[in-house]
Amino acid sequence: SSGINAEWPLRPGGRDKMENEDLLRWGWPEDVWFHVDKLSSAHVYLRLNKGEGVDAIPKELVDQCCQLVKANSIQGCKMAAVDVVYTPYPNLKKTGDMVAGQVGFHKNKRVVKVNVEKNNEVWKKLEKTREERDVDLKLEREGRDREDQEELKKRKKVQREMEKVQIEKERKEREMKSYKLMDANPDLCTSNQFDNESDAERELVDDFM
């Protein structure tokens, strides 16, 4: 991967079509996918923080990602300018009739297209920050999903506790209202008491009859 920005990790595509397939399969919901439009090129993934969208990516970083896919395109690297498309990873669509490395989109309106001119200065900076390492994509994604599930469990637990507190608060408020009503109307309590005594007396009389 290339250490362009510590806040947004960048991952260039696989060494071949099969590795690109692994990237397509095990990408993260926070990833943004870059590719040269209508030409063969590397698949580049930019990992955002949770809750961020493509609008959060600084223009400089978008330019760097675009230069990276252009430089890693057999045809595109020879051209003065190319169109580059990028979109959130969840918008990528892979169907059974597509060849290895081929991908489509669920919604075209979520795809951003930019025209990119060759910039050797940016590319040289990228090369200096390049770091090659083997990554278990499946293991990374499974770890990410486990963390997501744990966070969801914690949020649900907090929500349940808040609901319990609210229920108890409403119960106490009802009790207070009831006490205040009895204090304001002492005859109501006496009347209820007489009614109960009358009921008891009637039951006693019924028993003797």
Side-chain angles (χ1 to χ4, degrees):
S1 63
S2 295
I4 295 176
N5 188 303
E7 189 175 1
W8 290 283
L10 180 66
R11 174 161 294 164
R15 299 179 182 88
D16 54 38
K17 290 182 179 180
M18 297 314 298
E19 287 193 9
N20 282 334
E21 283 296 297
D22 287 339
L23 286 165
L24 286 170
R25 181 178 182 183
W26 300 112
W28 291 20
E30 296 80 24
D31 288 346
V32 177
W33 174 88
F34 289 77
H35 196 275
V36 175
D37 190 31
K38 299 178 182 178
L39 293 176
S40 174
S41 79
H43 296 225
V44 169
Y45 293 79
L46 179 67
R47 185 153 295 161
L48 306 183
N49 299 310
K50 287 185 178 181
E52 292 179 336
V54 294
D55 293 339
I57 310 173
K59 183 180 183 302
E60 179 184 4
L61 192 52
V62 171
D63 292 341
Q64 291 172 338
C65 293
C66 291
Q67 289 296 328
L68 191 56
V69 292
K70 183 183 185 305
N72 284 278
S73 170
I74 296 174
Q75 294 173 271
C77 68
K78 301 173 185 177
M79 302 169 64
V82 296
D83 286 333
V84 172
V85 292
Y86 62 96
T87 192
Y89 169 79
N91 192 42
L92 298 180
K93 180 175 68 175
K94 183 74 178 181
T95 57
D97 59 340
M98 291 180 175
V99 299
Q102 185 179 5
V103 67
F105 308 113
H106 291 290
K107 295 181 179 180
N108 288 326
K109 65 180 181 180
R110 298 192 67 192
V111 179
V112 181
K113 180 186 290 188
V114 292
N115 187 262
V116 180
E117 296 182 355
K118 190 172 184 178
N119 189 325
N120 289 328
E121 184 178 347
V122 172
W123 171 241
K124 288 178 182 178
K125 288 181 180 179
L126 293 175
E127 282 296 291
K128 289 180 180 179
T129 62
R130 181 180 292 272
E131 175 190 344
E132 295 289 342
R133 61 187 178 92
D134 292 327
V135 178
D136 189 325
L137 300 173
K138 180 176 181 291
L139 192 63
E140 275 194 347
R141 174 60 191 266
E142 289 175 344
R144 179 259 175 213
D145 289 347
R146 279 195 300 272
E147 290 181 0
D148 213 34
Q149 290 170 2
E150 288 300 318
E151 289 179 7
L152 181 60
K153 287 180 182 178
K154 289 179 181 178
R155 288 198 298 269
K156 286 184 177 180
K157 183 178 180 180
V158 171
Q159 181 65 29
R160 287 195 297 270
E161 292 299 323
M162 292 176 63
E163 289 174 353
K164 287 181 181 178
V165 171
Q166 182 63 26
I167 290 172
E168 181 63 15
K169 179 182 177 182
E170 292 175 354
R171 185 187 68 79
K172 289 182 177 180
E173 288 177 350
R174 287 195 299 270
E175 285 185 354
M176 290 300 297
K177 288 180 180 179
S178 177
Y179 292 147
K180 289 179 180 179
L181 181 61
M182 292 171 65
D183 289 342
N185 300 274
D187 292 340
L188 181 62
C189 179
T190 305
S191 175
N192 288 336
Q193 182 179 354
F194 288 152
D195 289 343
N196 291 335
E197 290 175 353
S198 299
D199 291 340
E201 290 173 356
R202 282 195 293 272
E203 289 178 2
L204 183 61
V205 171
D206 290 341
D207 288 340
F208 278 106
M209 288 180 64

